[in-house]
Amino acid sequence: MTNIFESLKDFISPLIDNEKNPLHVGEVSNLWILLTMLEDGISLYQTSLNTSKDGELLHTLEKGMQLSINSINKLKTFMQHEGIPLTKPAEPKPKSNPDSIPLGVKQTDDEIANK
């Protein structure tokens, strides 16, 4: 049976000794999931930017995309520092004219804003 003092010592000693434990496989998995979600979000932002013509919505989408890019950069820096291999992100979407997208395929501004 583990002594409570030994457990407390094992918990506190890495904090005092600046000893760094490697990341757990679950932590790495969660980092990959977060990175994938953020990168997929960039694709959605780009698609929505190509679809909408509403100035306020475009501004909000651009800000959201920039925040996601900043988060991705910080996360990638951390992952590289920890020695975690990175996945290849999706190719960026090219800019397009919102008027060239057929109405049956194109999302409305309300659909974009409410996602």
Side-chain angles (χ1 to χ4, degrees):
M1 180 178 211
T2 304
N3 183 339
I4 190 162
F5 295 111
E6 289 176 13
S7 297
L8 188 59
K9 179 185 131 296
D10 290 342
F11 175 76
I12 293 176
S13 65
L15 301 174
I16 295 171
D17 298 336
N18 291 328
E19 182 182 316
K20 184 178 151 190
N21 292 329
L23 293 176
H24 185 274
V25 68
E27 294 169 326
V28 173
S29 177
N30 287 336
L31 290 171
W32 275 329
I33 290 169
L34 177 59
L35 181 62
T36 301
M37 288 173 51
L38 286 168
E39 289 175 340
D40 286 348
I42 296 294
S43 264
L44 292 174
Y45 280 126
Q46 290 171 338
T47 301
S48 298
L49 285 167
N50 287 337
T51 303
S52 178
K53 293 194 291 185
D54 182 341
E56 186 177 345
L57 182 57
L58 289 172
H59 177 71
T60 302
L61 291 168
E62 287 170 358
K63 283 178 62 178
M65 188 167 76
Q66 191 56 49
L67 287 171
S68 292
I69 290 170
N70 291 342
S71 296
I72 287 170
N73 291 337
K74 288 178 185 177
L75 185 57
K76 281 184 174 182
T77 301
F78 174 77
M79 290 173 77
Q80 288 172 337
H81 182 262
E82 293 294 324
I84 301 169
L86 300 175
T87 59
K88 185 177 179 197
E91 294 293 322
K93 306 281 186 224
K95 293 205 180 273
S96 66
N97 182 357
D99 294 326
S100 67
I101 302 171
L103 291 179
V105 176
K106 174 178 167 173
Q107 290 183 329
T108 64
D109 289 343
D110 287 337
E111 289 172 326
I112 294 170
N114 289 317
K115 285 199 174 197

